[in-house]
Amino acid sequence: MHNFQARDHFADGAQYIAGRLTKGTSGASHAVIDPATGDEVYTYELAGSDDVDAAVVAAAEAFPGWAGATPGERSDALHRFAGVLAERAEDIAQAESLQCGKPIKLSREFDVPGTVDNAAFFAGAARHLQGQSAGEYTGDHTSYVRREPIGVVGSIAPWNYPLQMAAWKVLPAIAAGNTIVLKPAELTPFTSLLFAQAATEAGIPDGVVNIVTGAGKDAGEHLVGHPDVAMTSFTGSTGVGKRVAEIATATVKRLHLELGGKAPFVVFDDADLDAAVHGAVAGALINSGQDCTAATRAYVQRPLYDAFVQGVADLMESVRLGDPFDPSTDMGPLISHAHRDRVAGFVDRARSYARVVTGGEALQHPGAYYKPTLIADAAQDSEIVQSEIFGPVLVVLPFDGDDEGIRLANDTPYGLAASAWSRDVFRANRATREIKAGCVWVNDHIPILSEMPHGGYKASGYGKDMSAYSFEEYTQVKHVMFDNTAVVRKDWHRTIFGDR
């Protein structure tokens, strides 16, 4: 059981603008459904274009003061922010599990501590916005580089990791001196709102962090197209990412896209089989498979293939589905019944060309549960191998030589994450070089950390979340150049007028 009551926390509405909760003015409302029970837990008024405009105004008004704060002042505020998040950890974890259906042990041990750590990291990073060292690169001038905040950032986050995605969007932006308007998914507004309230409690000025909770077609598109928004960061599907890019081009915005994935899990014949089996089940089933870096395509060299298939099937069948608030639950429901039916559709279509080894069915339960599913004997060009399913479904294919394994790993439009399993350092190192993905794990799959960048290749988008590299996204690089000679007529002027 949980004691988080959304109606008490958000009685004043699900928009957070200029430091206070307000109700949306679109005229439409939305019910947040607990996917584990199918029950409505909170109904709120959705944001419309007027609410987005108000949030952008609040962010624009807060920008000069926040951008003008010293790095140390921003750092201190972010340290306090990390502290407030830590104090509220249990409330935040319960809110995340209630709206997403994810097991409470995942919220408590992964989502919330990861977000507190992100805040602590960016508190430190706020003081390290270095540029190239000053120097006389022409001999007659001193040059140096400034990193300046861009302005108002308008970001859109998905429903699978609402808290972590809010952190990944907000923290680097404000650490660099920007202000932000974040649109969370309308399915999962709770933890974004709690996150913004914690920022205010930590002393971050009103208007620096704003939340507008509305539909993508209305609030989202208006935010991306807003002329006073200088940058857009979007995490979600590749299809919607293309639409975001189209809208952003009209105002020549800075754009950061973290899109879909179809992560390969490549097991060479010298791998530790038990480790690979456990890694595959964990990597495929995290957050019920609703993770763009989840292991989705296992390529197993033929000598280990049969044993891998059997081992994964046996381990998947031991996974405990149930109440997300039961600490022993391993896997919760999918985000909604509609999404569960979408996942089931992929599996049902695959029955005509592949073998369902285990799973492949919904639970007879009011919640949106779907059993952990392993599929074998699919062709490389089949839908189940090529398309992002976003559910607890792993497809396994055999390969023979190393060249084939790496070629198959690269054979989708995506390139977000991958893993290689081998005891041979040269083999593993080759895989890390040749697999086209933004993250390649060796003998593991899923761990992320604040100090390292997260972002993709190809149709998985571009730009980096977390790490010092995120400041590449959220700062403007300015070259400053001083003449040191005080000479009126420079030698180069003769190329424009006059003689030497």
Side-chain angles (χ1 to χ4, degrees), residues 68-159:
T70 66
E73 288 167 338
R74 289 199 293 269
S75 176
D76 288 348
L78 284 163
H79 277 299
R80 294 193 300 270
F81 189 13
V84 174
L85 291 169
E87 290 168 6
R88 296 188 175 181
E90 181 59 19
D91 250 9
I92 295 171
Q94 290 193 20
E96 191 79 337
S97 287
L98 179 62
Q99 67 184 355
C100 299
K102 65 180 66 184
I104 192 67
K105 67 179 180 179
L106 184 66
S107 294
R108 285 173 177 157
E109 298 177 35
F110 183 74
D111 297 71
V112 174
T115 299
V116 173
D117 186 73
N118 283 168
F121 171 81
F122 281 108
R127 303 186 81 144
H128 294 282
L129 284 167
Q130 292 116 335
Q132 192 173 7
S133 61
E136 287 66 54
Y137 296 95
T138 69
D140 292 335
H141 307 82
T142 296
S143 287
Y144 63 88
V145 170
R146 291 175 57 88
R147 281 196 176 275
E148 298 178 350
I150 296 171
V152 177
V153 178
S155 292
I156 299 176
W159 48 257

Side-chain angles (χ1 to χ4, degrees), residues 289-320:
Q290 299 168 130
D291 185 315
C292 47
T293 65
T296 59
R297 299 179 290 138
Y299 296 101
V300 183
Q301 205 152 15
R302 211 169 292 273
L304 296 184
Y305 179 77
D306 290 340
F308 180 89
V309 171
Q310 188 63 54
V312 168
D314 290 346
L315 192 54
M316 278 188 169
E317 288 167 7
S318 74
V319 169
R320 299 164 297 186

Side-chain angles (χ1 to χ4, degrees), residues 69-417:
T70 66
E73 288 167 338
R74 289 199 293 269
S75 176
D76 288 348
L78 284 163
H79 277 299
R80 294 193 300 270
F81 189 13
V84 174
L85 291 169
E87 290 168 6
R88 296 188 175 181
E90 181 59 19
D91 250 9
I92 295 171
Q94 290 193 20
E96 191 79 337
S97 287
L98 179 62
Q99 67 184 355
C100 299
K102 65 180 66 184
I104 192 67
K105 67 179 180 179
L106 184 66
S107 294
R108 285 173 177 157
E109 298 177 35
F110 183 74
D111 297 71
V112 174
T115 299
V116 173
D117 186 73
N118 283 168
F121 171 81
F122 281 108
R127 303 186 81 144
H128 294 282
L129 284 167
Q130 292 116 335
Q132 192 173 7
S133 61
E136 287 66 54
Y137 296 95
T138 69
D140 292 335
H141 307 82
T142 296
S143 287
Y144 63 88
V145 170
R146 291 175 57 88
R147 281 196 176 275
E148 298 178 350
I150 296 171
V152 177
V153 178
S155 292
I156 299 176
W159 48 257
N160 58 333
Y161 290 100
L163 175 65
Q164 288 198 318
M165 295 300 100
W168 288 14
K169 302 298 183 199
V170 170
L171 292 168
I174 68 173
N178 303 285
T179 56
I180 189 166
V181 179
L182 174 72
K183 191 198 90 66
E186 59 269 38
L187 296 174
T188 54
F190 298 162
T191 47
S192 298
L193 294 166
L194 294 176
F195 188 77
Q197 289 175 309
T200 298
E201 188 174 319
I204 293 172
D206 292 349
V208 172
V209 180
N210 306 276
I211 308 293
V212 289
T213 308
K217 285 288 186 186
D218 303 320
E221 293 198 1
H222 190 67
L223 179 62
V224 173
H226 200 292
D228 296 329
V229 169
M231 174 186 167
T232 288
S233 175
F234 169 81
T235 296
S237 71
T238 297
V240 177
K242 291 176 182 177
R243 175 65 180 150
V244 168
E246 288 173 5
I247 298 168
T249 56
T251 49
V252 198
K253 285 177 169 49
R254 177 82 65 91
L255 187 58
H256 170 200
L257 298 173
E258 202 266 87
L259 307 177
K262 189 72 177 175
F265 186 102
V266 184
V267 182
F268 295 100
D269 59 11
D270 67 332
D272 181 326
L273 179 63
D274 285 344
V277 165
H278 283 79
V281 173
L285 300 185
I286 184 171
N287 203 34
S288 300
Q290 299 168 130
D291 185 315
C292 47
T293 65
T296 59
R297 299 179 290 138
Y299 296 101
V300 183
Q301 205 152 15
R302 211 169 292 273
L304 296 184
Y305 179 77
D306 290 340
F308 180 89
V309 171
Q310 188 63 54
V312 168
D314 290 346
L315 192 54
M316 278 188 169
E317 288 167 7
S318 74
V319 169
R320 299 164 297 186
L321 278 65
D323 177 2
F325 289 95
D326 181 342
S328 68
T329 292
D330 295 322
M331 198 177 101
L334 297 176
I335 187 66
S336 67
H337 288 81
H339 184 60
R340 184 195 66 186
D341 293 346
R342 177 183 175 275
V343 170
F346 278 102
V347 176
D348 291 342
R349 289 189 296 275
R351 295 180 197 278
S352 66
Y353 59 78
R355 175 168 59 100
V356 177
V357 181
T358 189
E361 60 181 334
L363 290 189
Q364 295 301 308
H365 188 281
Y369 288 87
Y370 196 80
K371 289 183 179 180
T373 300
L374 180 65
I375 293 176
D377 305 334
Q380 174 66 15
D381 62 357
S382 61
E383 179 190 52
I384 203 82
V385 175
Q386 292 291 325
S387 298
E388 185 173 35
I389 300 168
F390 226 59
V393 179
L394 177 66
V395 57
V396 57
L397 298 87
F399 70 92
D400 291 303
D402 291 20
D403 291 354
E404 183 188 15
I406 291 171
R407 178 181 62 78
L408 292 170
N410 284 329
D411 183 30
T412 68
Y414 300 107
L416 186 59

